[in-house]
């Protein structure tokens, strides 16, 4: 009787099911710059000295777009940390990426500020105040944390050289200045007395934190340009990031001067009002000088074949802070020249936003910006 040999069946273990979303692996914190750049269009447009028919409605639409983009991006970034923790930790330890963690704070603050500037028309004042209070608190806490954590990592973990200094290093340092600029929007909604004065002085303290840190960093950035030449083509738009602390600080001192009379005693309120102009005018002058230099370098890079990169969003938010800064100076000096400056800068901001947004959408749909490969 023949015996039939039966080969034992080889059991191939099933590969564990993965829940990773490959496209999210490449979603870095730099994407928050798109939210910042969108929100500032609404905020700046609504505070311009000149208002055209339909301008307020357009700003409401742009604010709603920025709020939706923030919600989507927060969800996607949560997925990034959940499914790609190794990459998220690598970003923190990468000196080229870690500074972009400051953008999370500024995105929260910009959208929160826009909620009280234009969003209140759509959701009502009580809801706008509540939403801004949450976003301002979260954005300020994250911004102050990143203003310490990122420089700490640069000192003890990142291996950087002077030739690597770029304006990107300013990003975590500017976050407290954004808090100082949008914090005044909440002051009138606080109880009179110590709550208002405390927030007013806290905003001035954050103004000082960011200003002093920026003054420490700017010589490194300018020195790198002088000694090592232009930035790489794709990084050239980052030169506009220097405008951020300049325009935002001018915005902050003028916004704080607006609410000082209702938050602090008269002698100090008058002094703070004068400080808004005395500080803002020379800083705006330097901002225009840097804008001309950065624009010249951008033209040079474009002629050299600069292609689209997410760094193009650096052409939006920093310019927008100069718009709001010039508008603040127009309010406090009464000079038409500052009003016209704000209008011209706003046209440049809208143009830059349209270009950056169009290229970003094209890159998303084509898969070039967020490739699906893990």
């Amino acid at each position: 009787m023949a015996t039939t040999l039966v080969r034992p069946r080889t059991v191939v273990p099933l590969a564990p099911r993965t829940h990773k979303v490959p496209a999210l692996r490449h979603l870095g914190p730099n994407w928050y710059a798109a939210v910042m750049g969108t929100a500032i269009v609404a905020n700046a447009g609504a505070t311009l000295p000149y208002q055209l028919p339909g301008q307020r409605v357009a700003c409401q639409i742009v604010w709603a777009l920025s709020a939706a983009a923030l919600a989507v991006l927060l969800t996607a970034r949560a997925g990034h940390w959940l499914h790609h923790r190794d990459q998220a930790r690598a970003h923190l330890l990468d000196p080229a990426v870690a500074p972009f963690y400051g953008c999370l704070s500024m995105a929260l603050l910009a959208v929160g500020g826009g909620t009280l500037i234009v969003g209140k028309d759509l959701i009502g004042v009580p809801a706008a105040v509540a939403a801004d209070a949450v976003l301002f608190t979260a954005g300020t806490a994250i911004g102050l944390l990143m203003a310490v954590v990122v420089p700490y990592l640069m000192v003890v973990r990142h291996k950087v050289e002077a030739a690597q200094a770029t304006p990107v290093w300013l990003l975590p340092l500017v976050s407290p200045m954004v808090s100082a600029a949008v914090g005044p929007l909440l002051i009138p909604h606080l109880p009179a007395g110590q709550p208002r004065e405390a927030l007013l002085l806290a905003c001035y303290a954050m103004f000082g934190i960011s200003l002093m840190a920026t003054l420490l960093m700017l010589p490194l950035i300018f020195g790198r340009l002088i000694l090592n030449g232009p930035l790489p083509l794709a990084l050239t738009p980052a030169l506009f990031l220097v405008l951020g602390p300049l325009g935002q600080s001018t915005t902050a001192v003028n916004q704080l001067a607006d609410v000082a009379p209702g938050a602090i005693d008269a002698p100090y309120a008058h002094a703070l009002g004068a400080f808004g102009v005395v500080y803002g005018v020379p800083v705006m002058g330097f901002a225009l000088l840097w804008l001309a230099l950065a624009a010249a370098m951008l033209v040079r890079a474009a002629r050299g074949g600069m292609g689209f990169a997410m760094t193009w969003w650096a052409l939006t938010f920093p310019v927008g802070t100069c718009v709001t800064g010039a508008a603040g100076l127009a309010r406090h000096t009464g000079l038409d020249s500052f009003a016209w400056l704000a209008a011209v800068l706003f046209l440049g901001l809208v143009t830059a936003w349209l270009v950056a947004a169009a290229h970003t959408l094209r890159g998303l749909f084509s898969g070039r910006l967020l490739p699906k490969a893990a």
Side-chain angles (χ1 to χ4, degrees):
M1 188 174 193
T3 303
T4 304
L5 296 177
V6 179
R7 292 183 180 180
R9 180 178 297 176
T10 302
V11 179
V12 180
L14 294 176
R17 183 175 296 177
T18 176
H19 296 283
K20 290 189 175 183
V21 184
L24 292 184
R25 184 171 183 82
H26 304 278
L27 186 72
N30 60 316
W31 280 81
Y32 285 112
V35 177
M36 296 159 50
T38 302
I40 198 66
V41 172
N43 299 353
T47 56
L48 273 181
Y50 303 109
Q51 294 291 313
L52 300 176
Q55 184 170 324
R56 183 84 179 179
V57 175
C59 291
Q60 293 169 1
I61 295 172
V62 175
W63 167 79
L65 178 62
S66 71
L70 176 63
V72 170
L73 190 53
L74 286 173
T75 303
R77 284 287 297 166
H80 175 84
W81 272 94
L82 180 64
H83 299 302
H84 302 284
R85 294 179 186 174
D86 60 325
Q87 184 75 353
R89 287 192 293 267
H91 283 166
L92 273 174
L93 298 179
D94 186 344
V97 180
F100 285 101
Y101 272 88
C103 291
L104 167 59
S105 165
M106 291 186 279
L108 294 170
L109 293 166
V111 174
T115 304
L116 266 184
I117 295 172
V118 294
K120 63 183 180 183
D121 299 343
L122 302 176
I123 65 175
V125 173
V129 172
D132 187 32
V134 171
L135 293 173
F136 175 78
T137 302
T140 298
I142 294 171
L144 291 173
L145 178 65
M146 289 300 112
V148 175
V149 169
V150 175
Y152 173 83
L153 290 175
M154 292 177 71
V155 173
V156 303
R157 296 296 298 272
H158 299 167
K159 303 299 181 183
V160 296
E161 300 177 357
Q164 295 175 283
T166 72
V168 172
W169 288 7
L170 291 170
L171 287 173
L173 307 179
V174 181
S175 301
M177 190 68 80
V178 181
S179 293
V182 301
L185 296 170
L186 284 170
I187 290 178
H189 300 281
L190 293 175
Q194 290 208 10
R196 292 186 182 184
E197 184 174 352
L199 182 54
L200 179 80
L201 296 183
C203 288
Y204 274 108
M206 290 186 285
F207 166 85
I209 289 171
S210 184
L211 179 63
M212 295 299 106
T214 298
L215 292 178
L216 289 175
M217 195 66 73
L218 276 180
L220 295 176
I221 296 169
F222 190 65
R224 179 254 178 264
L225 293 174
I226 295 297
L227 297 177
N228 298 94
L231 295 176
L233 294 182
L235 200 56
T236 300
L239 288 171
F240 284 77
L241 292 176
V242 175
L243 297 174
L246 302 176
Q248 199 65 276
S249 62
T250 303
T251 301
V253 293
N254 282 279
Q255 291 281 80
L256 289 165
D258 288 337
V259 298
I264 200 168
D265 293 338
Y268 298 106
H270 293 320
L272 295 177
F275 178 66
V277 175
V278 172
Y279 171 88
V281 172
V283 171
M284 184 57 64
F286 179 68
L288 294 177
L289 172 66
W290 190 271
L291 176 61
L293 174 63
M297 298 298 293
L298 186 68
V299 171
R300 175 188 177 276
R303 295 178 63 182
M306 177 186 68
F308 174 74
M310 287 299 289
T311 52
W312 281 30
W313 283 100
L315 305 175
T316 57
F317 188 81
V319 175
T321 66
C322 292
V323 175
T324 54
L329 289 174
R331 285 197 312 273
H332 289 103
T333 63
L335 290 177
D336 292 338
S337 55
F338 282 119
W340 279 106
L341 175 62
V344 171
L345 290 174
F346 182 70
L347 291 177
L349 166 63
V350 172
T351 302
W353 178 75
L354 289 172
V355 172
H359 280 83
T360 300
L361 290 175
R362 186 181 305 164
L364 281 173
F365 289 131
S366 68
R368 187 177 71 85
L369 289 180
L370 291 178
K372 290 183 169 36

